Amino acid sequence: MDIREEFERNLRTLTEEIKQKANNAEDYEDKPVKKKTIMKKIEGVILDVVESVQKGKPLRLDVKNFRDWDNCTYADRLILKPDKEVTTCKVVFDSERSQRKYTIIVHLLSKIYQMLNQGLTSTRRELYYKDVELLQSQDIVDEAIKIICCLLNTPPWQLGVFGTSKGLVAGHLVLQTNTKDTIDCLSPGGVLIPQDVLSLKPVSKAKFILIVEKDATFQTLLDEKILDRYKLILITGKGFPDLNTRLLVRLLTNTLKIPVFMIADADPHGMEIMCVYRYGSLIGILKKLNSKAEIESVSSLAKNNLTNFYIEFKIAANQLI
């Protein structure tokens, strides 16, 4: 059996295993939370603030500590444990520094409440530019959104808050938007991943998804006409993937039920990126390794080596998962 036949056989086997797992396994997806439920949670937080002010109590917010690994559990991906099983951290209103942090959280809660009430969405960048004087920096906004997500036990996309997309997607895929528009990902150079990923409906007959760590490798594969050789979907997060890129990968795998492969540098950073795609964003890696192998070293060996030999060989050997 030659490498091409082995490639096709392994791909068929993997696809069937994925479909079988999807049919039999428990659904670990984040269940959509009703808008009214989130708004009631915000109302509860604000009412507690008002009550504390009226009774002269210290103003504080008890929040799940999202930096504590003991607060996480594994069920096919990383998730936070229930409230009763986690350690918390406090945001208090008792010093100049914490006063600003507390004020920003309450301010953003009010903005999110208004957006939910009006059916609007916003990027974190847009939230920052609307109140630059108060918010001071984008990092402060990002940190506050993380705290709010833990406070409400709700992911940011269900709050209507999205990151600014930087990832690219190319290949045999059409994305249908909620306004009935279509995005054809066979466009030259790929297309920017849309902001509101979860509103998209993917349509594709691709056989597998290939994620590449770097934009340079993404463009090399397109230049080598990989989309003519394989019926695939090609994705890059341009390094560490933003939330929209990760959401698109999840949407495609859950909807299309096809294998996902990845090419990354064989170093701690590349392994961390791979784990973020696979398990979530709270993954730490084996950083004591003193060696690395970069993707470019493979593509530079011969013309079209990455597309015509390396990828096909790795899939045939089942080594790209």
Side-chain angles (χ1 to χ4, degrees):
M1 183 179 291
D2 65 20
I3 193 72
R4 184 72 185 184
E5 291 174 337
E6 187 68 13
F7 166 84
E8 295 290 350
R9 187 185 69 80
N10 272 277
L11 200 54
R12 286 195 299 269
T13 301
L14 285 167
T15 303
E16 288 305 313
E17 288 177 357
I18 289 169
K19 288 180 178 177
Q20 178 100 18
K21 182 179 178 183
N23 291 332
N24 298 334
E26 181 180 352
D27 181 12
Y28 290 113
E29 279 301 293
D30 293 312
K31 301 296 187 295
V33 179
K34 290 184 178 179
K35 182 170 65 175
K36 289 183 179 179
T37 302
I38 300 175
M39 292 175 69
K40 282 199 170 292
K41 288 182 180 181
I42 297 175
E43 290 168 2
V45 173
I46 299 302
L47 287 174
D48 286 344
V49 172
V50 172
E51 183 180 353
S52 296
V53 171
Q54 290 176 339
K55 295 183 177 180
K57 293 181 179 179
L59 295 176
R60 80 177 194 187
L61 299 171
D62 292 317
V63 185
K64 287 181 182 179
N65 187 351
F66 56 85
R67 293 190 178 91
D68 189 346
W69 278 92
D70 290 335
N71 285 345
C72 297
T73 188
Y74 175 77
D76 192 49
R77 62 185 174 85
L78 289 174
I79 56 175
L80 286 172
K81 293 177 180 177
D83 291 348
K84 295 181 180 179
E85 302 177 24
V86 299
T87 59
T88 60
C89 55
K90 295 177 176 58
V91 181
V92 294
F93 192 81
D94 63 356
S95 68
E96 184 176 347
R97 181 180 177 183
S98 59
Q99 281 176 6
R100 175 172 289 278
K101 189 173 185 179
Y102 188 99
T103 301
I104 287 172
I105 291 170
V106 174
H107 169 80
L108 290 175
L109 277 170
S110 69
K111 293 293 184 184
I112 290 168
Y113 187 88
Q114 292 171 16
M115 289 193 304
L116 290 171
N117 192 40
Q118 298 172 25
L120 303 176
T121 61
S122 175
T123 65
R124 295 194 298 270
R125 196 70 176 161
E126 287 170 341
L127 287 174
Y128 165 63
Y129 277 116
K130 287 178 181 177
D131 297 281
V132 174
E133 187 174 350
L134 170 65
L135 301 176
Q136 293 188 329
S137 78
Q138 185 66 57
D139 288 343
I140 291 175
V141 175
D142 295 343
E143 178 78 3
I145 293 296
K146 290 178 184 177
I147 292 173
I148 289 171
C149 289
C150 289
L151 184 65
L152 303 177
N153 199 25
T154 305
W157 57 89
Q158 292 186 5
L159 301 177
V161 179
F162 301 93
T164 302
S165 291
K166 66 169 183 171
L168 296 173
V169 57
H172 301 268
L173 172 68
V174 173
L175 298 171
Q176 297 179 348
T177 70
N178 54 8
T179 59
K180 306 303 181 183
D181 294 325
T182 59
I183 302 170
D184 186 353
C185 298
L186 274 174
S187 300
V191 298
L192 190 66
I193 293 172
Q195 299 285 2
D196 193 357
V197 172
L198 295 183
S199 70
L200 301 173
K201 180 182 177 182
V203 178
S204 176
K205 293 184 178 180
K207 300 299 183 182
F208 63 97
I209 298 165
L210 180 61
I211 302 170
V212 293
E213 175 187 347
K214 300 176 181 177
D215 183 37
T217 307
F218 180 90
Q219 299 301 334
T220 296
L221 290 171
L222 291 179
D223 292 342
E224 293 179 358
K225 308 297 183 184
I226 191 172
L227 300 180
D228 295 339
R229 187 175 180 89
Y230 307 110
K231 204 162 205 176
L232 60 75
I233 298 169
L234 192 66
I235 294 174
T236 181
K238 297 183 180 179
F240 198 90
D242 63 329
L243 181 59
N244 293 333
T245 304
R246 286 153 46 198
L247 284 175
L248 180 64
V249 173
R250 257 177 76 186
L251 175 68
L252 295 178
T253 53
N254 291 336
T255 305
L256 303 178
K257 305 294 191 298
I258 56 177
V260 180
F261 303 97
M262 181 168 180
I263 299 177
D265 286 344
D267 64 6
H269 187 64
M271 294 298 291
E272 180 181 18
I273 289 173
M274 180 189 72
C275 288
V276 166
Y277 277 110
R278 177 61 182 86
Y279 301 107
S281 59
L282 290 179
I283 288 290
I285 297 298
L286 318 157
K287 290 190 177 179
K288 294 183 179 180
L289 295 175
N290 291 319
S291 60
K292 64 183 292 187
E294 293 188 334
I295 304 168
E296 289 84 353
S297 64
V298 177
S299 61
S300 64
L301 291 176
K303 185 178 180 181
N304 295 345
N305 183 60
L306 193 59
T307 297
N308 292 349
F309 175 74
Y310 182 79
I311 291 174
E312 191 163 297
F313 174 78
K314 287 294 185 178
I315 294 178
N318 199 10
Q319 292 180 351
L320 269 182
I321 297 177

